[in-house]
Amino acid sequence: MERTGIDIKYWTNRGQYTPPHWHGAIELLYILNGEGAVTCDGKEYLVQAGQFIVIDSDKIHEMKCAKVSMMLIIHFSRKRMENY
């Protein structure tokens, strides 16, 4: 992330709960298959295959998946984006 300002990960959520957390970067979650619920600022957003959600930096969020879901997680450095 330090060199390019972007970090890309492939992640499989095996029907689990990800507790509240935050990132210093902007996060884009692209759902490859399955579905889940992302809660941010007290509001729940349902996401399913082919959809994505963008979470601003430093926003506390959590995720629940009822079954196995695969997703692409992309973190964008806010500082690097401000340069554009």
Side-chain angles (χ1 to χ4, degrees):
M1 169 100 71
E2 289 181 24
R3 195 179 87 226
T4 64
I6 298 172
D7 184 42
I8 301 173
K9 297 177 187 169
Y10 172 80
W11 188 52
T12 299
N13 185 319
R14 303 191 190 294
Q16 63 212 45
Y17 169 71
T18 304
H21 64 284
W22 68 92
H23 309 276
I26 296 166
E27 182 174 55
L28 184 145
L29 296 172
Y30 178 73
I31 311 303
L32 298 168
N33 70 12
E35 57 190 22
V38 177
T39 302
C40 186
D41 286 337
K43 185 171 180 184
E44 185 174 82
Y45 301 90
L46 300 176
V47 288
Q48 55 190 329
Q51 295 181 327
F52 68 90
I53 186 167
V54 177
I55 303 165
D56 202 359
S57 58
D58 300 322
K59 290 286 184 175
I60 297 174
H61 59 285
E62 60 189 289
M63 185 164 188
K64 298 178 273 189
C65 292
K67 56 184 177 178
V68 174
S69 298
M70 294 185 292
M71 61 196 76
L72 195 59
I73 301 171
I74 305 172
H75 288 128
F76 299 94
S77 164
R78 175 174 283 287
K79 185 173 183 168
R80 293 284 278 219
M81 289 185 72
E82 288 173 352
N83 293 333
Y84 296 100

